[in-house]
Amino acid sequence: MVPLKRRKVCGAVSGRETTVKFPHVVIYLLERKMGASRRAFLSQLGRKNGFRVEDDFSDNVTHVISENNSGDEARTWLDLQQKGNVTVKLLDICWYTESMRLGCPVEILDKHKLQEGQKFQEESVEFSVPVEFSVPSYACQRRTSLENHNTNFTDALSLLAENAELNNEDGRAVAFQRAAAVLKALPVKVTSMTQLQGLPCLGQHSQRVIKDIIENGVSSEVESTINSERFKALKLLTGIFGVGAKTADRWFREGIQNLTQLENSGHDLNRAQQAGLEHYYDLNQPVTKAEAEIIGDIVKKAVHDVLPGSEITLTGGFRRGKISGHDVDFLITHPDEGKEVGLMAKVVSWLTAQGLLLYQKTTRNSYLENEEGPAQPPSNIDRFERCLSIFKLEKKEMHSIRLHPGTQSSDREPAIIEHLQHFQANSFSNSQMRPNRTWRAVRVDLVVSPISQFAFAVLGWTGSKLFERELRRWAGQVKSMSLSSHALYDSKQCKYLRATSEEEIFAHLGLEFIPPKERNA
Ligand code: UTP
Ligand code: MN
């Protein structure tokens, strides 16, 4: 028996007594290969969660947890303890971390048991564990539906990507996004690091974050990012339409951390930023699919009125099957090449006359096909005639939806949920929320494409952003081609490859066709 005095210490965490919730499960963590400091950390974590974790081995112990030992090594160690308890369970650390995550001792499955009678080769562990998933390395080679089994990891990695973007560290941001995209493509929830063996795009940093979440339920880096004044302020300021990371950073360095400070700072805001500030609340509320459809009907009416025969296509996240988005994206074309010229100005006049636009800025088409192929490196920015606008949408019976609808919030890291809710609750003043108003502001992007470029434009505007980036990277690195939302150029054959459908473009690129709903990388 463990002496009474010591048992008491076992239940104490930094001076606080914690209740033992599962008295029949008595855990002993094997220090061998785990190390003393990790053992101490894991013991404390267990006790905090109501588990009974013993410092010393005794006959009371029911579960021995080992990390990096083979079944035979653990059995040899156990035999040396010369205790009479033969029913003690020899388990891998994955049982312990899973139980921590779920807050109760999980059912013991084969995967949790240490395999005895098998030699454990530590050095060749990568080869001794079968690779669980096979994932191609470019996101455009794989199918990524909206069903994400790993939101706990992908939320964390996306948040770190966002932070890197805000800090102007684009390389790092893309690395986190690629790692998140790999996890989004997995068919099941990841519960142990060994499942990740052989997966592409998981750099050391991303692996650290994932490991942290597997073991502790949260990532300490995510927690400190969420709590940093800089991240909070930059997120709030870049939430203003028309304000990018650079501007937000400059304001933050001037001591501006919130909207009131910005309004009082005397800064001259441009037209977009003024509109962004005025409609801050609305523009930070998700746009629903129902709202997108109503706007689609309005745009269709406008376009057909000013140029019969024109075609409009809903692109962006809604085409990928999302049920909400930050804006609504439309692509407009006409089957007779050239007829689309001048169309945008007429559409904008029509919408303005109906009082439907709160803000708009139209840029002209500046795309010119260069005989010698696109500039090197090809520009990611397309040059279509484009109208960035804010629509005034009558609310009628519409209900705006809450944060991230359709996802299981139980899977999300509590700190991230709290951060998002805090962001919602504290960013808006009552005057901006204007609950009695009969309309809301919605960001809408209108793009006009000549029919000859339409397939490229649809592909380029459907996203996701990472999927597009990966398509261009694949084209350049694997096929020596250059892809944009206007055209595909083959640098080996020195010619443009024409296409009238997305399927043809995938075929030119030597890729299996991925339908829009599976481009949610
Ligand atoms: P969005 O930023 O609208 O993203 O760009 P989204 O996927 O629709 O997501 P939410 O729901 O609005 O947040 C849509 C697509 O348009 C392309 C992007 O690459 C993205 O794939 N795009 C966007 C451009 O090609 N050029 C731009 O200037 C903006
Ligand atoms: Mn969009």
Side-chain angles (χ1 to χ4, degrees):
M1 281 293 282
V2 177
L4 198 60
K5 202 169 150 205
R6 181 169 280 147
R7 256 207 251 158
K8 218 169 175 185
V9 175
C10 291
V13 180
S14 43
R16 270 183 302 137
E17 289 282 332
T18 54
T19 342
V20 172
K21 290 195 219 154
F22 319 102
H24 302 300
V25 176
V26 185
I27 296 169
Y28 177 82
L29 299 174
L30 187 54
E31 186 173 313
R32 185 177 188 274
K33 294 199 179 169
M34 181 182 285
S37 60
R38 181 160 162 76
R39 178 175 186 253
F41 169 78
L42 290 172
S43 302
Q44 210 187 53
L45 187 72
R47 288 169 196 146
K48 214 162 92 182
N49 283 310
F51 286 77
R52 182 170 160 196
V53 185
E54 303 283 313
D55 279 339
D56 296 305
F57 187 76
S58 74
D59 273 350
N60 291 339
V61 170
T62 56
H63 294 56
V64 169
I65 310 297
S66 136
E67 186 167 46
N68 294 331
N69 293 284
S70 70
D72 291 339
E73 286 169 324
R75 175 65 60 190
T76 307
W77 172 86
L78 188 62
D79 290 345
L80 285 173
Q81 307 313 302
Q82 294 177 324
K83 304 281 173 185
N85 182 357
V86 287
T87 58
V88 60
K89 297 176 179 72
L90 281 178
L91 300 176
D92 184 72
I93 187 73
C94 66
W95 176 86
Y96 189 75
T97 51
E98 244 175 74
S99 302
M100 291 303 112
R101 212 180 43 252
L102 296 175
C104 64
V106 296
E107 185 193 349
I108 296 172
L109 305 175
D110 278 346
K111 65 173 181 178
H112 299 128
K113 292 179 190 158
L114 286 184
Q115 301 298 313
E116 293 178 51
Q118 275 177 8
K119 195 162 162 32
F120 185 83
Q121 296 164 296
E122 198 171 19
E123 295 81 82
S124 61
V125 66
E126 271 183 34
F127 306 102
S128 66
V129 179
V131 172
E132 198 158 332
F133 310 112
S134 151
V135 175
S137 62
Y138 290 82
C140 54
Q141 293 174 288
R142 47 186 202 241
R143 294 168 183 270
T144 314
S145 72
L146 282 168
E147 196 184 358
N148 178 353
H149 301 279
N150 288 288
T151 46
N152 53 339
F153 305 117
T154 58
D155 279 356
L157 292 166
S158 301
L159 187 132
L160 295 177
E162 189 183 2
N163 186 47
E165 255 172 16
L166 291 172
N167 290 334
N168 233 331
E169 299 171 314
D170 288 344
R172 176 174 284 221
V174 174
F176 283 132
Q177 283 160 1
R178 286 210 185 108
V182 165
L183 295 175
K184 279 184 199 170
L186 299 182
V188 296
K189 189 174 170 70
V190 167
T191 53
S192 97
M193 288 304 282
T194 55
Q195 290 173 288
L196 302 179
Q197 273 164 22
L199 289 181
C201 309
L202 297 181
Q204 280 180 5
H205 196 157
S206 295
Q207 287 193 36
R208 264 206 313 278
V209 174
I210 298 167
K211 191 160 186 271
D212 212 6
I213 296 171
I214 288 178
E215 289 172 358
N216 309 317
V218 291
S219 148
S220 51
E221 188 175 354
V222 167
E223 304 261 296
S224 62
T225 302
I226 288 173
N227 292 321
S228 99
E229 290 306 320
R230 182 181 152 80
F231 178 75
K232 282 192 270 192
L234 293 190
K235 185 141 167 90
L236 199 117
L237 295 171
T238 53
I240 306 171
F241 169 65
V243 177
K246 289 211 178 83
T247 306
D249 177 62
R250 201 177 62 238
W251 287 345
F252 177 73
R253 282 187 280 112
E254 289 169 16
I256 298 170
Q257 302 209 20
N258 58 45
L259 304 186
T260 314
Q261 286 169 346
L262 175 63
E263 278 167 326
N264 296 336
S265 69
H267 272 292
D268 274 335
L269 303 181
N270 64 31
R271 219 163 48 83
Q273 294 162 347
Q274 284 170 26
L277 200 55
E278 185 178 348
H279 303 293
Y280 189 86
Y281 176 79
D282 277 3
L283 299 185
N284 280 285
Q285 295 300 305
V287 184
T288 65
K289 180 82 208 261
E291 289 169 329
E293 276 164 4
I294 293 175
I295 293 170
D297 290 341
I298 295 171
V299 175
K300 197 179 281 172
K301 174 124 187 42
V303 170
H304 287 166
D305 259 24
V306 300
L307 183 64
S310 307
E311 286 159 14
I312 89 158
T313 306
L314 179 64
T315 59
F318 289 111
R319 184 162 185 255
R320 301 197 308 275
K322 281 175 62 176
I323 57 163
S324 72
H326 96 284
D327 68 355
V328 197
D329 309 286
F330 293 103
L331 191 57
I332 305 165
T333 191
H334 191 282
D336 301 332
E337 181 99 358
K339 279 265 179 78
E340 80 289 346
V341 175
L343 175 58
M344 188 73 89
K346 290 180 195 155
V347 172
V348 169
S349 302
W350 191 99
L351 293 167
T352 308
Q354 305 276 327
L356 288 164
L357 294 183
L358 297 163
Y359 167 90
Q360 70 84 18
K361 185 172 185 240
T362 306
T363 43
R364 288 196 301 176
N365 183 338
S366 60
Y367 178 72
L368 265 181
E369 193 169 287
N370 184 347
E371 283 287 321
E372 278 94 63
Q376 288 290 336
S379 168
N380 293 341
I381 303 161
D382 64 65
R383 298 172 173 282
F384 289 115
E385 187 172 23
R386 172 176 178 183
C387 175
L388 246 91
S389 73
I390 302 176
F391 265 54
K392 179 178 177 180
L393 179 66
E394 287 301 326
K395 272 190 201 156
K396 301 206 176 89
E397 297 109 66
M398 231 99 63
H399 302 285
S400 83
I401 36 169
R402 290 281 120 214
L403 277 166
H404 298 269
T407 53
Q408 295 149 313
S409 54
S410 60
D411 268 2
R412 305 199 109 95
E413 193 172 309
I416 294 188
I417 298 175
E418 206 176 293
H419 156 72
L420 292 169
Q421 284 170 349
H422 174 87
F423 179 71
Q424 290 238 321
N426 292 274
S427 309
F428 318 118
S429 60
N430 276 336
S431 67
Q432 279 166 328
M433 291 169 71
R434 283 178 268 196
N436 300 325
R437 230 171 34 185
T438 60
W439 55 271
R440 68 160 290 188
V442 179
R443 272 274 300 113
V444 176
D445 265 0
L446 303 175
V447 178
V448 172
S449 157
I451 189 78
S452 60
Q453 297 166 26
F454 184 72
F456 298 97
V458 175
L459 179 59
W461 275 83
T462 297
S464 69
K465 284 202 189 75
L466 186 75
F467 191 89
E468 302 295 335
R469 181 187 272 275
E470 294 280 277
L471 269 177
R472 292 194 296 267
R473 189 165 73 95
W474 167 272
Q477 292 180 347
V478 181
K479 307 302 280 188
S480 301
M481 292 179 187
S482 161
L483 174 70
S484 72
S485 293
H486 298 278
L488 178 63
Y489 184 78
D490 184 330
S491 311
K492 284 199 206 124
Q493 298 184 62
C494 298
K495 68 170 193 185
Y496 284 92
L497 304 175
R498 308 294 166 187
T500 55
S501 68
E502 288 185 316
E503 282 84 348
E504 276 177 77
I505 304 173
F506 278 86
H508 282 318
L509 290 167
L511 288 168
E512 182 197 355
F513 178 69
I514 309 283
K517 292 205 163 76
E518 291 179 299
R519 295 182 203 157
N520 286 291

